[in-house]
Amino acid sequence: FGLGRLDDHATPKSVADTIASSPAVVSRLHQLRLLVVEEVSMLAQVVLMGMDAGMQRALGCRYVAAFGGVQVVLVGDPCQLGPVAAEG
């Protein structure tokens, strides 16, 4: 995706806005059939929720399904350490 580093105050809406407002990302999403998310246990819930909302918005003309209708494979160890967050 190329979301870059998200700040500690990221929300699903801000992640979705980042995805849907990038012409390069939207263009890549229209070509995407399968998204593999590796090390999913290291992602915060806000990122997955934002990815879902952003992909739905970016691909909304074609799909109203989760992740814009793109098949998503989540890979990772659920017993691994949780997402790394900045100390505050």
Side-chain angles (χ1 to χ4, degrees), residues 30-43:
H30 280 281
Q31 299 171 22
L32 191 65
R33 295 175 131 189
L34 175 70
L35 175 65
V36 177
V37 179
E38 193 175 32
E39 297 295 342
V40 70
S41 60
M42 299 303 287
L43 289 180

Side-chain angles (χ1 to χ4, degrees), residues 52-53 55-70:
D52 177 33
M55 290 174 71
Q56 285 183 33
R57 193 181 321 159
L59 300 171
C61 300
R62 294 188 338 191
Y63 301 103
V64 188
F67 292 97
V70 173

Side-chain angles (χ1 to χ4, degrees), residues 1 3-4 6-7 10-12 15-16 19 37 40 42-54 67 83:
F1 261 27
L3 289 177
L6 300 173
D7 65 28
T11 64
V15 174
I19 292 168
V37 179
V40 70
M42 299 303 287
L43 289 180
Q45 179 182 3
V46 68
V47 175
L48 285 176
M49 292 173 64
M51 285 172 54
D52 177 33
F67 292 97

